[in-house]
Amino acid sequence: MKSFNTEHNHSAAESGDAYTVSDPTKNVDDDGREKRTGTWLTASAHIITAVIGSGVLSLAWAIAQLGWIAGTSILLIFSFITYFTSTMLADCYRAPDPVTGKRNYTYMDVVRSYLGGRKVQLCGVAQYGNLIGVTVGYTITASISLVAVGRSNCFHDKGHGAKCSISNYPYMAVFGIIQVILSQIPNFHKLSILSIMAAVMSFTYATIGIGLAIATVAGGKVGKTSMTGTEVGGLDGVTSAQKIWRSFQAVGDIAFAYAYATVLIEIQDTLRSSPAENKAMKRASLIGVSTTTFFYILCGCVGYAAFGNKAPGDFLTDFGFFEPFWLIDFANACIAVHLIGAYQVFAQPIFQFVEKKCHRNFPDNKFITSEYSVNVPLLGKFNISFFRLVWRTAYVVITTVVAMIFPFFNAILGLIGAASFWPLTVYFPVEMHIAQNKIKKYSPRWIGLKMLCWVCLIVSLLAAAGSIAGLISSVKTYKPFRTIHE
């Protein structure tokens, strides 16, 4: 094991001032950092991993609340809005010129370059608050999927009406142990293989869900659907208030299902500089959002056709299907594997933010700045930092414990998503686009962009209201330390 101090490397990398011109004799980019090797393909994998979560299987529920017309229309509208604002954000990676300007490594750096002031702090609170919430939520969701595997086998053996109770705490612990190991991956640039694997898993379980729904429709066992979704009173048993709150929550679920702005800049920072990063990122965004929309419409619409207004919150973990049990098991296992990779996509910006601050504030601290080269069998040389090991392990342990204490946290996550969607996905990209292109105040384009901001703000507020209503309901029905059962 060989020790070497990386203080000078870190300070150069963080400041971006190590080299002002790329040196062909060194394997570095124009900012002095290790040469980036990412392509539009790896960026697309990162986007798909971040965007297509297990929530894709709950879109049938969202369509059921809104109906055929509003549900499919809102899916398409938010796919366009997400792609439109992502292209604006991609152009802001470098400042002031989108091709030759100085690189910005994080979303906060981009906001600092174009807007400055208190907006930088607002961006930090929204971004990192959302990222922390997502990592806790993924721990819970992964455990639910793993519990569903055990319950599926139980239902197969004992009958669909059996009470199959399995604790989710051991599965959370296992998920946490896996994340402790994966969290030692030093940075976002090394996540490509993990993201590609996770993206494949997301395609797999989404395809299984769609296939099962199509089989249900083909078998003629379909639920009642309508143009306006769930009906007040009657067989659906929904009150007027429930209809309103659920519709708000459904719109919010669809809007947030597309959001990946929280990690867009970090993904773009992995791209090599030729072709220009903004062009490659726009291509990756188009592929990522198009692929996502295709699967979202299939899952949402085919799922709604299969289950009707009684669509479950999730095809697989809520057992919309019981058989074939082995296929349900495999799909839930794919969800868990996908979330293992997705956790890292959302956790890496948090890790790097804290480590960057510590390197700047304590440049002479050997514990923080030193790394050790270790030969790992089958993997070759691997750099280990004791600070990285301790800090990242502590973060994973804390998020795992929070997930165990608050298993209803996914309801809280909806509120966090509502609070962060508008500033990160719409407001900041639009404001920075206006500043970058010096769009004249009160011009038609300026008015159109401002109207987009206001409409999305209203959507976020309504979704937040729906999330609060859902959170109150979750807290009322929550029983501490219960096991998950039918």
Side-chain angles (χ1 to χ4, degrees):
M1 184 168 67
K2 182 179 178 182
S3 171
F4 60 94
N5 188 274
T6 60
E7 173 189 342
H8 62 286
N9 291 334
H10 281 291
S11 61
E14 300 304 348
S15 66
D17 296 328
Y19 299 92
T20 55
V21 179
S22 182
D23 186 344
T25 66
K26 297 182 180 293
N27 191 32
V28 295
D29 275 325
D30 57 350
D31 59 348
R33 292 193 170 191
E34 181 181 354
K35 191 170 287 291
R36 296 158 175 84
T37 58
T39 66
W40 62 267
L41 184 62
T42 59
S44 299
H46 287 318
I47 292 170
I48 291 169
T49 300
V51 177
I52 300 184
S54 59
V56 66
L57 302 171
S58 68
L59 287 175
W61 178 89
I63 300 292
Q65 311 314 309
L66 299 167
W68 286 115
I69 297 175
T72 53
S73 297
I74 290 172
L75 269 171
L76 293 172
I77 289 170
F78 277 106
S79 69
F80 173 76
I81 291 173
T82 301
Y83 174 69
F84 180 59
T85 58
S86 71
T87 60
M88 295 179 181
L89 193 53
D91 281 335
C92 295
Y93 168 66
R94 287 182 181 264
D97 187 89
V99 177
T100 61
K102 182 181 177 182
R103 298 174 188 269
N104 291 290
Y105 306 120
T106 68
Y107 203 134
M108 286 181 68
D109 290 341
V110 173
V111 174
R112 185 179 291 108
S113 294
Y114 285 97
L115 303 177
R118 293 189 178 276
K119 292 179 180 179
V120 179
Q121 284 70 40
L122 173 61
C123 171
V125 170
Q127 182 185 13
Y128 293 105
N130 179 262
L131 292 174
I132 292 170
V134 168
T135 55
V136 175
Y138 278 1
T139 303
I140 297 169
T141 306
S143 71
I144 291 173
S145 294
L146 292 172
V147 163
V149 173
R151 293 175 63 207
S152 174
N153 294 332
C154 175
F155 289 140
H156 178 71
D157 293 336
K158 299 180 180 180
H160 298 170
K163 286 191 175 181
C164 298
S165 299
I166 301 174
S167 174
N168 61 336
Y169 297 133
Y171 294 103
M172 288 186 187
V174 170
F175 185 83
I177 291 170
I178 293 172
Q179 293 305 332
V180 166
I181 297 171
L182 292 178
S183 291
Q184 301 315 308
I185 295 173
N187 53 53
F188 220 119
H189 304 263
K190 308 297 184 182
L191 289 181
S192 296
I193 294 177
L194 189 62
S195 280
I196 290 172
M197 179 188 69
V200 171
M201 292 297 102
S202 65
F203 287 142
T204 301
Y205 66 71
T207 301
I208 291 172
I210 293 168
L212 290 172
I214 291 174
T216 300
V217 173
K221 297 179 181 179
V222 297
K224 178 185 177 183
T225 65
S226 68
M227 290 299 176
T228 57
T230 54
E231 299 175 354
V232 177
L235 296 176
D236 293 339
V238 177
T239 66
S240 298
Q242 287 176 325
K243 174 68 175 178
I244 293 172
W245 292 122
R246 288 183 182 182
S247 296
F248 289 164
Q249 188 175 350
V251 173
D253 286 350
I254 293 172
F256 309 142
Y258 281 103
Y260 65 99
T262 48
V263 292
L264 186 148
I265 297 299
E266 284 79 2
I267 292 174
Q268 191 166 347
D269 191 44
T270 67
L271 297 174
R272 60 192 182 198
S273 55
S274 181
E277 301 92 350
N278 64 329
K279 292 183 179 179
M281 193 64 196
K282 288 177 183 178
R283 183 179 183 184
S285 293
L286 178 61
I287 293 171
V289 172
S290 299
T291 303
T292 299
T293 302
F294 175 75
F295 273 92
Y296 280 6
I297 288 178
L298 274 179
C299 276
C301 294
V302 177
Y304 182 43
F307 297 107
N309 295 338
K310 297 291 186 180
D314 188 294
F315 283 1
L316 302 174
T317 59
D318 286 345
F319 290 92
F321 308 102
F322 286 93
E323 300 293 341
F325 79 99
W326 58 269
L327 189 59
I328 305 299
D329 289 353
F330 178 67
N332 278 304
C334 288
I335 293 175
V337 173
H338 168 251
L339 292 175
I340 287 172
Y343 183 103
Q344 286 300 313
V345 170
F346 285 93
Q348 282 292 336
I350 303 170
F351 295 155
Q352 292 168 30
F353 174 76
V354 172
E355 288 157 19
K356 177 180 176 180
K357 287 289 185 183
C358 289
H359 278 284
R360 283 184 173 176
N361 294 334
F362 308 101
D364 299 323
N365 189 309
K366 304 300 182 183
F367 175 72
I368 293 175
T369 60
S370 294
E371 291 190 358
Y372 300 87
S373 180
V374 179
N375 284 319
V376 180
L378 303 178
L379 297 178
K381 287 187 177 181
F382 192 80
N383 292 337
I384 294 178
S385 163
F386 287 126
F387 170 65
R388 187 165 62 225
L389 177 63
V390 172
W391 136 244
R392 295 188 180 193
T393 299
Y395 177 84
V396 173
V397 170
I398 291 171
T399 55
T400 303
V401 170
V402 170
M404 289 179 172
I405 296 173
F406 302 106
F408 57 79
F409 189 85
N410 279 337
I412 299 175
L413 187 58
L415 183 58
I416 295 174
S420 61
F421 169 78
W422 178 73
L424 297 176
T425 302
V426 182
Y427 175 74
F428 286 129
V430 167
E431 289 298 312
M432 290 188 293
H433 176 76
I434 291 173
Q436 184 183 54
N437 293 276
K438 298 179 175 60
I439 298 175
K440 188 176 180 181
K441 197 172 184 179
Y442 301 120
S443 65
R445 183 171 178 81
W446 184 90
I447 293 173
L449 291 171
K450 289 292 185 179
M451 287 180 63
L452 174 64
C453 281
W454 280 107
V455 170
C456 290
L457 174 59
I458 293 171
V459 169
S460 290
L461 292 175
L462 294 177
S467 296
I468 291 172
L471 177 60
I472 292 172
S473 175
S474 296
V475 172
K476 284 181 178 179
T477 58
Y478 168 64
K479 296 179 181 179
F481 306 107
R482 64 175 179 168
T483 55
I484 297 178
H485 56 81
E486 190 69 29

